[in-house]
Amino acid sequence: MTKYKELVSEKERLLAFPLINQLRTHLNENDYMSLVKEAVEKEGYRQFGLFEKDEIVAVIGFQPMITLYYGKFIWVCDLVTDSRKRSKGYGEKLLNFLHEYAKKEGYEKIALSSGLQRLDAHRFYEQKMNYVKVSYVFKTDLI
């Protein structure tokens, strides 16, 4: 049985850390918890887990945004399926869940970035989910 659950308690967020850490390998548990707490408080960040038989198999983290370029939209910050559970449709289910949530809440678009090396993810977004590559993301470190 598949179910979606918002992760709001410290215990629930800690449950998601092993999956998030597969995507965000630079984070340790303490930094992860600190960043999630601040993102929730300051940016409206939310996390949902996809559970199969009471086991968390995928996690999505997102925040609402408004920009002149996209208008009112959802920015997907994190989307990961447990590496042992990939290619079973969990990412698709979780992203479709977010699509329905966004429509219901009046958002016009969903956007995300994906690392240049993540070719399998790019195929998934473009071919399976009908996302369109519209830009590159650039960054610089200030410290």
Side-chain angles (χ1 to χ4, degrees), residues 6-21 24 26-48 59-63 77-78 80:
E6 185 166 10
L7 310 176
V8 293
S9 72
E10 184 173 319
K11 181 180 176 184
E12 291 166 338
R13 292 180 180 144
L14 281 170
L15 187 64
F17 176 71
L19 273 69
I20 292 289
N21 196 231
R24 309 289 179 222
H26 64 285
L27 291 178
N28 64 45
E29 194 173 89
N30 289 334
D31 290 342
Y32 159 75
M33 290 301 292
S34 176
L35 287 168
V36 167
K37 183 178 185 224
E38 187 172 2
V40 167
E41 292 171 359
K42 294 181 179 177
E43 304 292 338
Y45 178 81
R46 297 174 73 180
Q47 277 184 326
F48 281 81
V59 177
I60 194 165
F62 63 91
Q63 63 189 58
C77 306
D78 314 290
V80 61

Side-chain angles (χ1 to χ4, degrees), residues 4-143:
Y4 306 92
K5 180 170 182 10
E6 185 166 10
L7 310 176
V8 293
S9 72
E10 184 173 319
K11 181 180 176 184
E12 291 166 338
R13 292 180 180 144
L14 281 170
L15 187 64
F17 176 71
L19 273 69
I20 292 289
N21 196 231
Q22 292 176 25
L23 180 66
R24 309 289 179 222
T25 57
H26 64 285
L27 291 178
N28 64 45
E29 194 173 89
N30 289 334
D31 290 342
Y32 159 75
M33 290 301 292
S34 176
L35 287 168
V36 167
K37 183 178 185 224
E38 187 172 2
V40 167
E41 292 171 359
K42 294 181 179 177
E43 304 292 338
Y45 178 81
R46 297 174 73 180
Q47 277 184 326
F48 281 81
L50 175 63
F51 291 80
E52 190 70 39
K53 299 179 183 172
D54 294 325
E55 178 186 8
I56 191 166
V57 295
V59 177
I60 194 165
F62 63 91
Q63 63 189 58
M65 295 181 74
I66 299 172
T67 66
L68 298 178
Y69 183 64
Y70 287 132
K72 184 178 177 184
F73 71 104
I74 297 285
W75 179 259
V76 177
C77 306
D78 314 290
L79 174 60
V80 61
T81 298
D82 188 323
S83 61
R84 300 165 298 165
K85 307 282 185 177
R86 294 206 176 122
S87 299
K88 295 183 179 182
Y90 296 130
E92 181 179 3
K93 286 180 181 180
L94 200 48
L95 207 47
N96 281 328
F97 169 82
L98 184 60
H99 291 178
E100 292 307 311
Y101 166 86
K103 287 178 198 173
K104 188 169 54 174
E105 296 296 320
Y107 291 95
E108 300 168 359
K109 295 174 182 60
I110 293 179
L112 55 84
S113 68
S114 180
L116 295 172
Q117 76 284 7
R118 302 194 66 231
L119 300 178
D120 289 339
H122 302 169
R123 276 191 294 279
F124 167 72
Y125 294 128
E126 292 176 320
Q127 295 173 10
K128 190 95 167 171
M129 300 306 300
N130 296 316
Y131 278 51
V132 177
K133 190 184 313 177
V134 295
S135 66
Y136 288 98
V137 174
F138 295 91
K139 72 169 192 129
T140 187
D141 294 332
L142 300 176
I143 297 175

